[in-house]
Amino acid sequence: MSILLFEYALKCLLVSAFLELVLYRLVSRLGMHLSKIAAKYELVKLTLQTISSLGFMLLNLTAILAFLLLFLLLYQKVRKTHWVGQYDKLLVPSLGLLIAVTLAYLVVPPAMAGSVVYNVITFVVLVVLVTEFMATHHVLAQRLLVGTFVLGITSWLYYQTVSTGYGMMNITTPPPLVHEVNRIGEALMVLASVLAFWAYGSTSFFTKNKQQRRWALTLLASGGALFGLLLFLDYFLMLIDPAMAREVRKAGEGIGWIFQMGMGYTFYLPFAFYVAGLIAWGYTVIKLVIIGRLAGYGLGLMFMAGYALQLSHLTLMVVLGLILLNLDKHGTLGRIREKAAESMTLAPTDSVLTHSSR
C-alpha cells in the first residue's frame, strides 16, 4: 500500500512542482514586471492575481507532497523493507533532523542563526547522499552530473551561510570570494543540466535501432543550430539593426530578472548556455519519466528547485531528488511495484493449526 502511495504522490509532486515553478515563482514575478500594465487594465490585474493565488496553493501542495514522500522513504528505510542504502545509518538521523527543523521553522520562523543551522544540516545531508551515490554508481557521466550539481548547490549554501554569518557579527565588509563562488555555482548548475543529457538521456549514434539513431541525430542537429543562433544572435542583430538588438537585449534583461527572482539565475552567462541546459534537461526528464525511471523524477525535482533555495520546500525537493537518483538502481516504478507485490505474496503467514493452538 505504501509503495502505491509513494508512486502516485511522486507523480503528483512532479506535476505540482512544475506548475508551482511556472505559475508562482515565474509568472507572479512577471506580474511585478508588468505592474504598470496591470494597473491600467483590470483584466490583466485579475488574471495575474488569480495565477498568483493558484501558484501559492500549488506551493503548499508541493510542500505537503515533499514531506509525505520523505516520511515514506524514512519509514521504509527504518523498517528495512525496501530501498535500503549503504549509508542509511547516517542518512536517516540527518534527514530526520532536517525534516524536524523544517517543521519547527514553519511554526517559529528562524532568525539568522537558525538559517545558518539549517544550511549546515542541509550540507551534511547532501554530503551523505553524494557519498552514497559515488559508492553505488560507477558510470563516469553520472558521477560528473551529481558532483557538479552538488558543488553548485554547495556554492549557494556557502554564499547564504557566510553572508548571514557576517550579518550576525555586524561585519560590513563582504565575505571572502562570496560573489565569485556564487557565480561559479550558477555556472556549475547550468553545466549539470547539460550533463544530465549525457548521463541519463543520450542515445548512442552507433545503436542498431534506426529510430533511436534518427532521433539522436535530429536532436543533435536542431540543438546545435539553435545553440549557435542564440550564441551569435546579438552580433547578427547589431549588424542588421542596432535598434532591434537593443530591444532584444532589454527583453533578455527582463527575462533574466524574472528567473533571478524565481530560481536564482542571474543570466550572466550567454543566454544560449541556459537554453541548451533547459533543452537537455527537459528531454532527459521526459524520456526517463515516460519509462518510469526514478532518476527522471529525481532530476526533475532537483532542477525545478532552482539555484537559490530560498524556500524550505525547495531544499526538500533537492534532497528528495538525490535520494531518487540513489534509488534508481532498484528499477523502474513498475518493477518496484512488482517486487513489493511479490514480497507481500511470499511473506510468511501463520498456519491454521498455529492459530487454533493459541
Side-chain angles (χ1 to χ4, degrees):
M1 184 65 180
S2 60
I3 300 298
L4 286 176
L5 178 60
F6 177 85
E7 179 180 349
Y8 288 112
L10 182 59
K11 293 177 179 178
C12 292
L13 174 61
L14 188 69
V15 175
S16 65
F18 175 74
L19 294 176
E20 182 263 337
L21 167 63
V22 174
L23 297 180
Y24 185 71
R25 283 187 278 153
L26 298 182
V27 175
S28 62
R29 269 66 176 186
L30 179 62
M32 297 169 59
H33 197 62
L34 301 176
S35 57
K36 293 182 179 179
I37 299 177
K40 186 176 180 180
Y41 299 99
E42 188 66 23
L43 179 60
V44 176
K45 180 180 178 180
L46 291 175
T47 302
L48 291 174
Q49 287 179 347
T50 303
I51 292 175
S52 180
S53 300
L54 180 60
F56 186 73
M57 292 174 57
L58 289 167
L59 183 149
N60 292 325
L61 176 61
T62 301
I64 292 172
L65 290 173
F67 276 116
L68 173 62
L69 287 165
L70 288 173
F71 278 126
L72 289 174
L73 286 170
L74 282 176
Y75 174 74
Q76 295 292 344
K77 286 182 175 294
V78 170
R79 289 190 59 196
K80 297 183 179 181
T81 53
H82 301 291
W83 306 326
V84 178
Q86 297 181 5
Y87 293 86
D88 284 351
K89 291 183 179 180
L90 298 174
L91 178 61
V92 171
S94 58
L95 180 57
L97 179 60
L98 178 65
I99 295 174
V101 172
T102 304
L103 291 173
Y105 287 170
L106 291 176
V107 180
V108 181
M112 287 186 176
S115 298
V116 172
V117 171
Y118 190 82
N119 290 336
V120 171
I121 298 173
T122 301
F123 176 73
V124 172
V125 175
L126 293 179
V127 169
V128 174
L129 289 173
V130 74
T131 303
E132 179 180 351
F133 187 91
M134 296 300 178
T136 56
H137 293 71
H138 304 290
V139 179
L140 176 61
Q142 295 177 358
R143 287 186 166 189
L144 287 176
L145 162 64
V146 172
T148 303
F149 178 86
V150 173
L151 283 176
I153 289 297
T154 303
S155 300
W156 164 258
L157 292 176
Y158 171 82
Y159 170 77
Q160 282 289 94
T161 304
V162 175
S163 300
T164 305
Y166 269 50
M168 290 172 53
M169 295 182 289
N170 294 321
I171 301 176
T172 57
T173 57
L177 301 175
V178 65
H179 296 295
E180 291 80 2
V181 169
N182 187 33
R183 285 177 171 261
I184 292 173
E186 181 176 340
L188 289 173
M189 291 290 289
V190 176
L191 176 60
S193 62
V194 177
L195 291 175
F197 174 75
W198 180 33
Y200 287 99
S202 59
T203 301
S204 174
F205 295 108
F206 305 102
T207 178
K208 295 181 180 180
N209 190 317
K210 293 183 179 180
Q211 184 177 3
Q212 290 185 2
R213 188 165 63 245
R214 187 165 53 250
W215 272 105
L217 290 172
T218 302
L219 181 65
L220 178 64
S222 58
L226 180 61
F227 178 79
L229 176 63
L230 291 174
L231 189 61
F232 298 102
L233 179 62
D234 186 73
Y235 173 75
F236 291 136
L237 287 177
M238 284 297 295
L239 293 178
I240 299 171
D241 189 349
M244 182 184 296
R246 286 191 292 270
E247 292 297 327
V248 171
R249 211 172 293 150
K250 289 181 181 179
E253 292 175 357
I255 295 174
W257 181 82
I258 294 169
F259 274 86
Q260 182 178 4
M261 294 291 293
M263 300 183 69
Y265 293 108
T266 61
F267 279 60
Y268 77 95
L269 296 172
F271 185 69
F273 290 101
Y274 296 92
V275 176
L278 176 62
I279 294 174
W281 166 81
Y283 174 85
T284 304
V285 169
I286 292 173
K287 177 182 177 180
L288 295 179
V289 168
I290 288 176
I291 62 178
R293 290 276 300 272
L294 289 173
Y297 294 90
L299 290 172
L301 295 175
M302 287 160 55
F303 285 96
M304 282 192 289
Y307 176 52
L309 306 179
Q310 297 175 340
L311 301 173
S312 58
H313 78 283
L314 302 179
T315 302
L316 298 182
M317 284 170 56
V318 170
V319 171
L320 178 58
L322 287 171
I323 294 176
L324 293 175
L325 285 186
N326 283 330
L327 297 178
D328 184 66
K329 62 181 181 293
H330 292 277
T332 63
L333 283 173
R335 182 57 184 157
I336 292 172
R337 196 188 317 121
E338 292 175 1
K339 288 181 179 179
E342 290 174 2
S343 64
M344 292 180 63
T345 304
L346 299 176
T349 56
D350 293 336
S351 65
V352 176
L353 293 175
T354 304
H355 281 289
S356 61
S357 64
R358 291 176 180 174

